Amino acid sequence: MLDIESLEVSYGAVRAVRGVSLGVRKGELVTLLGANGAGKSSTLMAIAGAVRATAGRVRLDGADVTGATPENMVRRGVAAVPETRDVFPDLTVAQNLQLGAFTRRRDQAGVIHDRETHFTHFPILAERQHLPAGNLSGGEQQMLVIARALMSRPSVLLLDEPSLGLAPIVVDQIFDMIGSLKDSGLTILLVEQNAAKALAVSDRAYVMRLGRIEAEGPASEIAAATELKSLYLGAEP
Ligand SMILES: Nc1ncnc2c1ncn2[C@@H]1O[C@H](COP(=O)(O)OP(=O)(O)O)[C@@H](O)[C@H]1O
Ligand SMILES: [Mg+2]
């Protein structure tokens, strides 16, 4: 479904992504692991159109979408949740969700229906729907940005470090949520520091180091490959 070929991203002299090729099949949950600075976010954001790829190809269902704007990618069914976890703090939870549906202005009934569905799945968001999003805890804000991304009815979800900085119990809730999204048939590319939990819910994984893919395989094999652990557990090999 998503096919990345020889992707490169540079920030001036910094070559953050150096020829990354990866694929995500329909309905798959694929995790991208790697130490801090490996180039995971740059890869994800280049796919989403939020940073410019200096070389390489991004294909979606066979169509070349390299260089598409973030808005265009959302219209094509690719929604991204960046690691910055940015809510509009002064807008209410309900208004934040509404903004995620910007591609569906002519489908107000569907938008309201989806919002109610997300409120059922995330009761805490329903409870807080009239509060400014800035009042939510970190975990609640993470749920809100994921639910907001879902409001565009994506076929592919790109998630960057959804569990970062959250309390263990909240981390478990986030991973439960990712598991149910996969069960619902959504195709997901996940970037995570929490390798053990990410691998436990994933079908396959890629390990990045210094802008390149160092290893790939079924999640269970990547989890069992002890020699890879130093690559993604934060320690420099
Ligand atoms: N906006 C930016 N400007 C300059 N360098 C950046 C920028 N964003 C990331 N980098 C650099 O690119 C490299 C990869 O970063 P990033 O993609 O954020 O890695 P990861 O998500 O794996 O931690 C790092 O060396 C980082 O310092
Ligand atoms: Mg990152």
Side-chain angles (χ1 to χ4, degrees), residues 1 13 34 46 62 65 68 88-89 112 115 120 124 157 159 163 165 176 183 193 205 222-223 226:
M1 178 153 217
V65 296
F88 296 94
I112 289 166
R115 198 176 66 194
T120 315
I124 194 74
L157 186 65
L159 284 175
S163 81
D176 283 350
D183 293 343
Q193 292 279 329
I222 297 289
T226 47

PDB file of all heavy atoms in Angstrom, residues 1 13 34 46 62 65 68 88-89 112 115 120 124 157 159 163 165 176 183 193 205 222-223 226:
ATOM      1  N   MET A   1       0.833  -1.213   0.000  1.00  0.00           N
ATOM      2  CA  MET A   1       0.000   0.000   0.000  1.00  0.00           C
ATOM      3  C   MET A   1       0.864   1.258   0.000  1.00  0.00           C
ATOM      4  O   MET A   1       0.694   2.163  -0.794  1.00  0.00           O
ATOM      5  CB  MET A   1      -0.859  -0.028   1.257  1.00  0.00           C
ATOM      6  CG  MET A   1      -1.729   1.170   1.413  1.00  0.00           C
ATOM      7  SD  MET A   1      -3.141   0.682   2.377  1.00  0.00           S
ATOM      8  CE  MET A   1      -4.397   1.620   1.580  1.00  0.00           C
ATOM      9  N   ALA A  13      23.577  20.632   5.601  1.00  0.00           N
ATOM     10  CA  ALA A  13      24.638  19.631   5.459  1.00  0.00           C
ATOM     11  C   ALA A  13      24.313  18.323   6.179  1.00  0.00           C
ATOM     12  O   ALA A  13      25.024  17.339   6.037  1.00  0.00           O
ATOM     13  CB  ALA A  13      25.947  20.196   5.999  1.00  0.00           C
ATOM     14  N   GLY A  34      14.886   2.715  16.115  1.00  0.00           N
ATOM     15  CA  GLY A  34      16.208   3.308  15.935  1.00  0.00           C
ATOM     16  C   GLY A  34      16.503   4.262  17.067  1.00  0.00           C
ATOM     17  O   GLY A  34      15.583   4.805  17.675  1.00  0.00           O
ATOM     18  N   ALA A  46       8.667  12.984   5.867  1.00  0.00           N
ATOM     19  CA  ALA A  46       8.831  13.080   4.410  1.00  0.00           C
ATOM     20  C   ALA A  46       7.705  12.325   3.707  1.00  0.00           C
ATOM     21  O   ALA A  46       7.174  12.773   2.686  1.00  0.00           O
ATOM     22  CB  ALA A  46      10.193  12.534   3.987  1.00  0.00           C
ATOM     23  N   GLY A  62       0.525   2.317  -5.535  1.00  0.00           N
ATOM     24  CA  GLY A  62       1.135   2.358  -6.865  1.00  0.00           C
ATOM     25  C   GLY A  62       1.255   3.749  -7.473  1.00  0.00           C
ATOM     26  O   GLY A  62       1.984   3.936  -8.446  1.00  0.00           O
ATOM     27  N   VAL A  65       3.371   9.710  -5.235  1.00  0.00           N
ATOM     28  CA  VAL A  65       2.882  10.868  -4.486  1.00  0.00           C
ATOM     29  C   VAL A  65       4.056  11.666  -3.895  1.00  0.00           C
ATOM     30  O   VAL A  65       3.867  12.482  -2.991  1.00  0.00           O
ATOM     31  CB  VAL A  65       1.897  10.453  -3.360  1.00  0.00           C
ATOM     32  CG1 VAL A  65       0.649   9.832  -3.958  1.00  0.00           C
ATOM     33  CG2 VAL A  65       2.545   9.475  -2.380  1.00  0.00           C
ATOM     34  N   ALA A  68       4.034  15.498  -2.570  1.00  0.00           N
ATOM     35  CA  ALA A  68       2.673  15.986  -2.302  1.00  0.00           C
ATOM     36  C   ALA A  68       2.671  16.780  -0.994  1.00  0.00           C
ATOM     37  O   ALA A  68       3.458  16.502  -0.089  1.00  0.00           O
ATOM     38  CB  ALA A  68       1.704  14.811  -2.210  1.00  0.00           C
ATOM     39  N   PHE A  88      -4.644  22.295  19.434  1.00  0.00           N
ATOM     40  CA  PHE A  88      -4.909  23.729  19.494  1.00  0.00           C
ATOM     41  C   PHE A  88      -5.398  23.977  20.912  1.00  0.00           C
ATOM     42  O   PHE A  88      -6.547  23.656  21.244  1.00  0.00           O
ATOM     43  CB  PHE A  88      -5.941  24.125  18.443  1.00  0.00           C
ATOM     44  CG  PHE A  88      -5.444  23.897  17.041  1.00  0.00           C
ATOM     45  CD1 PHE A  88      -5.723  22.716  16.361  1.00  0.00           C
ATOM     46  CD2 PHE A  88      -4.660  24.866  16.405  1.00  0.00           C
ATOM     47  CE1 PHE A  88      -5.234  22.495  15.076  1.00  0.00           C
ATOM     48  CE2 PHE A  88      -4.171  24.647  15.114  1.00  0.00           C
ATOM     49  CZ  PHE A  88      -4.456  23.462  14.447  1.00  0.00           C
ATOM     50  N   PRO A  89      -4.520  24.526  21.782  1.00  0.00           N
ATOM     51  CA  PRO A  89      -4.804  24.518  23.224  1.00  0.00           C
ATOM     52  C   PRO A  89      -6.027  25.336  23.620  1.00  0.00           C
ATOM     53  O   PRO A  89      -6.695  24.994  24.602  1.00  0.00           O
ATOM     54  CB  PRO A  89      -3.524  25.103  23.838  1.00  0.00           C
ATOM     55  CG  PRO A  89      -2.818  25.811  22.733  1.00  0.00           C
ATOM     56  CD  PRO A  89      -3.220  25.129  21.469  1.00  0.00           C
ATOM     57  N   ILE A 112     -19.977  14.190  12.242  1.00  0.00           N
ATOM     58  CA  ILE A 112     -20.571  14.112  13.585  1.00  0.00           C
ATOM     59  C   ILE A 112     -20.658  12.652  14.026  1.00  0.00           C
ATOM     60  O   ILE A 112     -20.331  12.318  15.170  1.00  0.00           O
ATOM     61  CB  ILE A 112     -21.962  14.798  13.601  1.00  0.00           C
ATOM     62  CG1 ILE A 112     -21.749  16.315  13.479  1.00  0.00           C
ATOM     63  CG2 ILE A 112     -22.735  14.462  14.875  1.00  0.00           C
ATOM     64  CD1 ILE A 112     -22.980  17.098  13.139  1.00  0.00           C
ATOM     65  N   ARG A 115     -17.233  11.557  15.065  1.00  0.00           N
ATOM     66  CA  ARG A 115     -16.843  12.162  16.336  1.00  0.00           C
ATOM     67  C   ARG A 115     -17.497  11.395  17.487  1.00  0.00           C
ATOM     68  O   ARG A 115     -16.846  11.083  18.487  1.00  0.00           O
ATOM     69  CB  ARG A 115     -17.263  13.632  16.360  1.00  0.00           C
ATOM     70  CG  ARG A 115     -16.536  14.426  17.417  1.00  0.00           C
ATOM     71  CD  ARG A 115     -16.891  15.877  17.345  1.00  0.00           C
ATOM     72  NE  ARG A 115     -18.287  16.086  17.686  1.00  0.00           N
ATOM     73  CZ  ARG A 115     -18.957  17.223  17.458  1.00  0.00           C
ATOM     74  NH1 ARG A 115     -18.362  18.235  16.863  1.00  0.00           N
ATOM     75  NH2 ARG A 115     -20.213  17.343  17.804  1.00  0.00           N
ATOM     76  N   THR A 120     -17.067   7.324  21.886  1.00  0.00           N
ATOM     77  CA  THR A 120     -17.366   6.024  22.484  1.00  0.00           C
ATOM     78  C   THR A 120     -16.074   5.256  22.772  1.00  0.00           C
ATOM     79  O   THR A 120     -15.927   4.637  23.816  1.00  0.00           O
ATOM     80  CB  THR A 120     -18.239   5.178  21.520  1.00  0.00           C
ATOM     81  OG1 THR A 120     -19.257   6.020  21.013  1.00  0.00           O
ATOM     82  CG2 THR A 120     -18.853   3.989  22.225  1.00  0.00           C
ATOM     83  N   ILE A 124     -12.826   9.404  27.780  1.00  0.00           N
ATOM     84  CA  ILE A 124     -12.225  10.571  28.442  1.00  0.00           C
ATOM     85  C   ILE A 124     -12.341  11.815  27.554  1.00  0.00           C
ATOM     86  O   ILE A 124     -12.517  12.929  28.038  1.00  0.00           O
ATOM     87  CB  ILE A 124     -10.750  10.268  28.839  1.00  0.00           C
ATOM     88  CG1 ILE A 124     -10.228  11.305  29.819  1.00  0.00           C
ATOM     89  CG2 ILE A 124      -9.828  10.187  27.642  1.00  0.00           C
ATOM     90  CD1 ILE A 124     -10.786  11.143  31.200  1.00  0.00           C
ATOM     91  N   LEU A 157      -2.165   5.339   8.650  1.00  0.00           N
ATOM     92  CA  LEU A 157      -1.871   6.234   9.766  1.00  0.00           C
ATOM     93  C   LEU A 157      -0.383   6.180  10.071  1.00  0.00           C
ATOM     94  O   LEU A 157       0.186   5.092  10.221  1.00  0.00           O
ATOM     95  CB  LEU A 157      -2.688   5.797  10.996  1.00  0.00           C
ATOM     96  CG  LEU A 157      -2.627   6.704  12.222  1.00  0.00           C
ATOM     97  CD1 LEU A 157      -3.249   8.071  11.930  1.00  0.00           C
ATOM     98  CD2 LEU A 157      -3.351   6.059  13.409  1.00  0.00           C
ATOM     99  N   LEU A 159       2.336   7.236  12.817  1.00  0.00           N
ATOM    100  CA  LEU A 159       2.360   7.632  14.235  1.00  0.00           C
ATOM    101  C   LEU A 159       3.797   7.798  14.698  1.00  0.00           C
ATOM    102  O   LEU A 159       4.573   6.841  14.669  1.00  0.00           O
ATOM    103  CB  LEU A 159       1.723   6.532  15.094  1.00  0.00           C
ATOM    104  CG  LEU A 159       0.211   6.381  15.111  1.00  0.00           C
ATOM    105  CD1 LEU A 159      -0.169   5.151  15.940  1.00  0.00           C
ATOM    106  CD2 LEU A 159      -0.430   7.627  15.700  1.00  0.00           C
ATOM    107  N   SER A 163       3.929   7.119  22.525  1.00  0.00           N
ATOM    108  CA  SER A 163       3.989   6.835  23.967  1.00  0.00           C
ATOM    109  C   SER A 163       5.047   7.668  24.690  1.00  0.00           C
ATOM    110  O   SER A 163       5.211   7.545  25.901  1.00  0.00           O
ATOM    111  CB  SER A 163       4.270   5.341  24.199  1.00  0.00           C
ATOM    112  OG  SER A 163       5.649   5.063  24.061  1.00  0.00           O
ATOM    113  N   GLY A 165       7.131   9.943  26.850  1.00  0.00           N
ATOM    114  CA  GLY A 165       6.931  10.795  28.020  1.00  0.00           C
ATOM    115  C   GLY A 165       5.662  10.525  28.807  1.00  0.00           C
ATOM    116  O   GLY A 165       5.324  11.299  29.698  1.00  0.00           O
ATOM    117  N   ASP A 176      -2.920  -0.261  23.561  1.00  0.00           N
ATOM    118  CA  ASP A 176      -4.211  -0.943  23.361  1.00  0.00           C
ATOM    119  C   ASP A 176      -4.950  -0.316  22.186  1.00  0.00           C
ATOM    120  O   ASP A 176      -5.534  -0.998  21.342  1.00  0.00           O
ATOM    121  CB  ASP A 176      -5.093  -0.811  24.618  1.00  0.00           C
ATOM    122  CG  ASP A 176      -4.634  -1.760  25.715  1.00  0.00           C
ATOM    123  OD1 ASP A 176      -3.789  -2.627  25.422  1.00  0.00           O
ATOM    124  OD2 ASP A 176      -5.111  -1.609  26.856  1.00  0.00           O
ATOM    125  N   ASP A 183      -6.666  -3.848  14.428  1.00  0.00           N
ATOM    126  CA  ASP A 183      -7.752  -4.832  14.303  1.00  0.00           C
ATOM    127  C   ASP A 183      -8.891  -4.320  13.427  1.00  0.00           C
ATOM    128  O   ASP A 183      -9.598  -5.097  12.792  1.00  0.00           O
ATOM    129  CB  ASP A 183      -8.296  -5.213  15.686  1.00  0.00           C
ATOM    130  CG  ASP A 183      -7.261  -5.986  16.494  1.00  0.00           C
ATOM    131  OD1 ASP A 183      -6.300  -6.495  15.888  1.00  0.00           O
ATOM    132  OD2 ASP A 183      -7.405  -6.063  17.732  1.00  0.00           O
ATOM    133  N   GLN A 193      10.044   4.515  20.557  1.00  0.00           N
ATOM    134  CA  GLN A 193      11.220   4.268  21.402  1.00  0.00           C
ATOM    135  C   GLN A 193      10.981   3.014  22.237  1.00  0.00           C
ATOM    136  O   GLN A 193      11.909   2.310  22.596  1.00  0.00           O
ATOM    137  CB  GLN A 193      11.430   5.431  22.387  1.00  0.00           C
ATOM    138  CG  GLN A 193      11.838   6.730  21.754  1.00  0.00           C
ATOM    139  CD  GLN A 193      13.318   6.772  21.460  1.00  0.00           C
ATOM    140  OE1 GLN A 193      14.107   6.167  22.163  1.00  0.00           O
ATOM    141  NE2 GLN A 193      13.689   7.477  20.398  1.00  0.00           N
ATOM    142  N   ALA A 205       9.061  -5.076  11.351  1.00  0.00           N
ATOM    143  CA  ALA A 205       9.795  -3.922  11.857  1.00  0.00           C
ATOM    144  C   ALA A 205      11.022  -3.650  11.004  1.00  0.00           C
ATOM    145  O   ALA A 205      11.570  -4.554  10.356  1.00  0.00           O
ATOM    146  CB  ALA A 205      10.216  -4.160  13.307  1.00  0.00           C
ATOM    147  N   ILE A 222      12.814  -9.578  14.938  1.00  0.00           N
ATOM    148  CA  ILE A 222      13.553  -8.379  15.343  1.00  0.00           C
ATOM    149  C   ILE A 222      13.644  -8.337  16.872  1.00  0.00           C
ATOM    150  O   ILE A 222      14.684  -7.997  17.438  1.00  0.00           O
ATOM    151  CB  ILE A 222      12.880  -7.101  14.788  1.00  0.00           C
ATOM    152  CG1 ILE A 222      12.893  -7.105  13.244  1.00  0.00           C
ATOM    153  CG2 ILE A 222      13.547  -5.846  15.337  1.00  0.00           C
ATOM    154  CD1 ILE A 222      14.233  -6.901  12.593  1.00  0.00           C
ATOM    155  N   ALA A 223      12.550  -8.717  17.536  1.00  0.00           N
ATOM    156  CA  ALA A 223      12.550  -8.713  19.007  1.00  0.00           C
ATOM    157  C   ALA A 223      13.548  -9.721  19.558  1.00  0.00           C
ATOM    158  O   ALA A 223      14.161  -9.505  20.599  1.00  0.00           O
ATOM    159  CB  ALA A 223      11.143  -9.015  19.527  1.00  0.00           C
ATOM    160  N   THR A 226      19.058 -10.212  19.591  1.00  0.00           N
ATOM    161  CA  THR A 226      19.674  -9.430  20.672  1.00  0.00           C
ATOM    162  C   THR A 226      20.765  -8.494  20.157  1.00  0.00           C
ATOM    163  O   THR A 226      20.995  -7.436  20.730  1.00  0.00           O
ATOM    164  CB  THR A 226      20.282 -10.367  21.741  1.00  0.00           C
ATOM    165  OG1 THR A 226      21.036 -11.376  21.068  1.00  0.00           O
ATOM    166  CG2 THR A 226      19.207 -11.016  22.574  1.00  0.00           C
TER     167      THR A 226
END
